[in-house]
Amino acid sequence: MELAVVYSRALNGINAPQVTIEVHLSRGLPGLSIVGLPETAVKESKDRVRSAILNNHFEFPLRRITINLAPADLPKEGGRYDLPIAIGILAASGQVSGIELDRYEFVGEVSLTGELRPVDGSLPMARASRSSNRKFVLPADNADEAALIDDLEVLPATHLLSVCSHLNGGDSLQPHTADPEHASAPVLPDLGDIHAQYQARRALEIAAAGGHSLLLIGPPGTGKTMLAERLPGILPPITEAEALETAAVLSISHHGFHTSAWKRRPFRSPHHTASAVALVGGGSHPRPGEISLAHNGVLFLDELPEFDRKVLEVLREPLESGCIRISRASRQAEFPARFQLVAAMNPCPCGYLGDSSGRCHCTAEQIRRYRSKISGPLLDRIDMHVEVPNMTREILAARKTTRGESSRDVQRRVMLARERQLARTGKPNSRLDNREIERDCLLNTEQKRLLEQAINKLNLSTRALHRIMKLTRTIADLAESDDIRTEHLTEAIVYRRLERLDANTT
C-alpha cells in the first residue's frame, strides 16, 4: 500500500472542520514534503514524526513522501497533526493496517520518544467528530474533556505504540467515559452577605431574571464589586448546550478547559489596563478574548472610566450581536460572546460626589470630563444604571444582627421569571427584538403618557426606550404578572440613573 488516508480536525474559531491527511509514497530521492497551507509547527511535524518512528523500532520509508492536508485552502496550525501523519506514513508503508482507518479520527502531538502530548481544542474537535460517526483517538490527557460529548466513542492513548497495536489487532484502546456531574459544586459568594443596598440588590435580581446589563455607580467601598461577584450565584443554572459552548471557548484558549469547571457560569474581571485585543480576542492566529471567555456568564468591568475609551468602544457590537468576528489577511474567525455585562464606576473623579460630609470638591467640569470617558452609544446599550450609596452608621451597626436574603432564595424567583420568558418567546427579555417588544410589552394610554414624559425629561434615545420596555417586561415577570402595570414601568424608568445624575450636575 503506497497511499493512506487518515482523518483529523482543524480549528476555526470554535468550529472544527474535517482535515483529510493523504500520505503517498513514490519513487525518487528520499524526502518528505507537507502541502496544504501548513504553518511552522505543522512543517516541523516531519522531524518529530521521523524521530518517533525510528525510536520505536519502525522503519522510516526511504522514499519520496508527500503529505497533503486537505482542504488545501484551510490554514493548518499546531502539533495536533503529528499523530495522524505518523499513522499515515506507517499505514502507507504497510507497517500498520490501513483497512479500518476510515473508522477513526486522530489528533495528538507526538514527542521524539513517541509519547502523546495534549493539544488545545479537543472539546470542539470531539463535538465535530461526533457528526462523522467515527471513533476519536487522542492523547489521554485530553480524554476527560472529549468525553463530555455524548454518543462519541473516545479512545485515549498515551503512546504511538498503543495506537499502532490497536490498529494491528493487538491490545485495544479502551473507550473512556467521564462523569463531571460528580465534581464538587462551586462555593459561590452569597447575596446574603450584602447588608442594606436594597435598590442595588433589587436591580441585581432584575438583571439576572432578564439577562440585562448593569452599571453600578457609587463611592468607593459601598459594595459594587461584592454585588457583581454575587450575580453568578443567582443566575439560572447553565444548560447542557450552554455548558458545551462555554467549555469549547475555554478549550481553544490559552487558559484551557478543566472538567472541574463543567457547568459553571464564567465570571471574568479584566483589569482596566487590558487592551482591545485582550478584551475581544485576536492575534495572527485568532484566539478568544475576555468577552468570549465570559460567554454564558458575567463580564465585570470595574472602574469603567479608567478603561481606554477605544477599548470600551469594541464592546458595542458584541453587546448587540452576541458574537465577535475577527478578520485577518489569511483567515477569519467568529467567537460567541453572549455575556452579561456588569460595570462599576465612581460618581466623580474623587469618588465622593453627594457625600454628606462634604468630602467631594470636584467641579462640574471635572465631573463632566470624567463621565465623558464613557461614550453615549455604550451607555445606551447598558440597560440599568443603579446608584449604590454609602451606608449609614445605623445600618452598619445593625449588620451584626441582620442578614440579607440568600442567593438561593433570590435564584428561585429568578428561575420562575426566566421560565415565563422562555415559555413566551424562547429567550430572555434582554434579547427581544422590536416586533416582540410591540407584541409582549403592551402599554395603556396612561402608561404611554408616562413614558413620553420620561423620554422628554431624560432625553432618551429610541434604543434606551426599547431597553426600558424590556426591563418593564422582566419586572412584570418577576411579579408573575401577564400584564404590565404602571408600577412596573415606573421602576424600569428609575434605572436610567446616569441620565438623571448628568442632569443634576449641569
Side-chain angles (χ1 to χ4, degrees):
M1 184 178 182
E2 296 184 345
L3 176 66
V5 178
V6 184
Y7 296 101
S8 186
R9 292 282 165 179
L11 284 177
N12 184 17
I14 63 169
N15 299 316
Q18 179 179 282
V19 173
T20 302
I21 299 172
E22 302 167 330
V23 180
H24 180 238
L25 307 184
S26 61
R27 296 179 181 179
L29 293 175
L32 189 155
S33 61
I34 302 177
V35 296
L37 281 185
E39 56 99 49
T40 303
V42 181
K43 292 178 180 178
E44 293 172 347
S45 175
K46 60 183 180 181
D47 298 315
R48 293 191 295 270
V49 168
R50 183 178 185 275
S51 295
I53 288 176
L54 293 174
N55 286 331
N56 287 282
H57 308 292
F58 289 106
E59 177 185 351
F60 191 82
L62 295 178
R63 303 176 67 181
R64 180 66 182 171
I65 305 174
T66 303
I67 300 173
N68 179 40
L69 310 179
D73 58 348
L74 177 68
K76 320 298 188 304
E77 63 172 341
R80 68 180 64 90
Y81 304 105
D82 289 2
L83 178 59
I85 287 175
I87 295 299
I89 292 174
L90 293 173
S93 60
Q95 301 177 77
V96 165
S97 174
I99 298 177
E100 295 185 345
L101 283 180
D102 60 345
R103 296 175 53 192
Y104 300 90
E105 290 186 3
F106 302 86
V107 295
E109 181 180 334
V110 177
S111 71
L112 300 186
T113 62
E115 294 181 358
L116 301 187
R117 291 172 174 162
V119 295
D120 293 335
S122 59
L123 184 60
M125 287 189 288
R127 184 169 60 173
S129 180
R130 176 176 57 183
S131 61
S132 67
N133 294 322
R134 297 190 183 99
K135 301 175 183 179
F136 195 52
V137 181
L138 78 171
D141 289 343
N142 294 125
D144 284 342
E145 184 177 337
L148 295 174
I149 305 298
D150 295 329
D151 302 323
L152 174 67
E153 187 170 338
V154 176
L155 301 178
T158 58
H159 202 278
L160 175 62
L161 285 176
S162 59
V163 179
C164 295
S165 175
H166 177 85
L167 295 174
N168 284 332
D171 294 335
S172 298
L173 299 176
Q174 299 302 312
H176 182 79
T177 57
D179 191 8
E181 299 293 343
H182 291 168
S184 58
V187 180
L188 298 176
D190 195 279
L191 195 59
D193 300 332
I194 305 291
H195 300 271
Q197 300 298 11
Y198 302 111
Q199 186 182 31
R201 288 172 56 99
R202 168 67 173 170
L204 204 68
E205 180 177 341
I206 296 171
H212 301 287
S213 51
L214 176 65
L215 174 62
L216 302 171
I217 310 159
T222 55
K224 301 186 293 294
T225 300
M226 289 181 66
L227 285 162
E229 290 173 344
R230 281 149 180 80
L231 179 56
I234 63 173
L235 288 172
I238 193 168
T239 65
E240 187 86 14
E242 290 175 336
L244 281 174
E245 284 186 348
T246 302
V249 174
L250 286 171
S251 180
I252 63 175
S253 72
H254 293 297
H255 302 274
F257 172 73
H258 303 283
T259 54
S260 59
W262 176 244
K263 288 193 173 181
R264 298 185 187 181
R265 292 194 181 272
F267 180 87
R268 306 293 301 183
S269 180
H271 193 261
H272 62 258
T273 56
S275 66
V277 173
L279 209 59
V280 302
S284 56
H285 302 294
R287 296 279 185 168
E290 291 290 340
I291 63 172
S292 295
L293 296 174
H295 181 57
N296 292 318
V298 177
L299 177 69
F300 177 50
L301 301 182
D302 198 8
E303 305 295 344
L304 188 65
E306 301 303 325
F307 282 83
D308 186 270
R309 180 164 178 156
K310 293 181 179 179
V311 173
L312 292 178
E313 293 307 296
V314 302
L315 294 175
R316 287 160 56 176
E317 180 186 349
L319 273 173
E320 295 285 348
S321 65
C323 66
I324 182 70
R325 297 174 182 87
I326 300 172
S327 298
R328 295 293 180 263
S330 60
R331 61 164 58 185
Q332 293 78 39
E334 181 175 318
F335 301 106
R338 186 71 67 182
F339 59 92
Q340 192 163 349
L341 175 64
V342 179
M345 62 176 285
N346 295 328
C348 65
C350 75
Y352 296 104
L353 179 66
D355 186 75
S356 59
S357 61
R359 285 184 288 181
C360 177
H361 300 286
C362 299
T363 65
E365 177 62 20
Q366 289 174 323
I367 297 172
R368 187 195 65 78
R369 285 202 306 268
Y370 177 74
R371 292 181 181 163
S372 67
K373 295 180 181 179
I374 310 170
S375 71
L378 178 61
L379 281 176
D380 244 6
R381 287 170 168 83
I382 301 179
D383 298 343
M384 309 173 71
H385 308 154
V386 181
E387 187 174 7
V388 187
N390 265 324
M391 291 189 292
T392 63
R393 293 181 180 178
E394 291 77 10
I395 294 175
L396 290 173
R399 65 183 299 178
K400 297 180 180 179
T401 57
T402 61
R403 180 176 173 82
E405 193 176 17
S406 70
S407 292
R408 181 175 296 181
D409 294 335
V410 176
Q411 188 186 43
R412 291 194 189 100
R413 295 196 298 270
V414 167
M415 291 172 63
L416 290 174
R418 184 67 66 91
E419 287 171 3
R420 293 174 66 91
Q421 298 165 37
L422 296 179
R424 184 171 55 242
T425 60
K427 54 187 172 183
N429 288 334
S430 61
R431 302 183 199 171
L432 296 178
D433 58 32
N434 293 348
R435 182 178 298 179
E436 291 165 334
I437 292 174
E438 293 177 1
R439 185 191 65 199
D440 298 324
C441 305
L442 297 176
L443 302 180
N444 59 33
T445 303
E446 180 186 349
Q447 293 165 351
K448 290 179 180 178
R449 189 180 301 112
L450 174 62
L451 188 57
E452 289 175 0
Q453 294 174 354
I455 292 172
N456 295 330
K457 183 175 182 180
L458 300 178
N459 194 26
L460 299 176
S461 67
T462 303
R463 180 186 289 115
L465 168 64
H466 287 163
R467 293 184 181 274
I468 287 177
M469 298 301 294
K470 296 176 188 179
L471 272 177
T472 304
R473 182 67 265 174
T474 300
I475 294 170
D477 288 336
L478 279 170
E480 300 183 9
S481 173
D482 293 330
D483 299 322
I484 290 176
R485 297 197 291 266
T486 302
E487 58 264 30
H488 302 154
L489 178 60
T490 303
E491 183 177 4
I493 293 173
V494 168
Y495 293 125
R496 302 306 296 190
R497 174 68 65 179
L498 199 60
E499 286 88 350
R500 292 178 58 185
L501 288 175
D502 286 340
N504 291 339
T505 59
T506 58

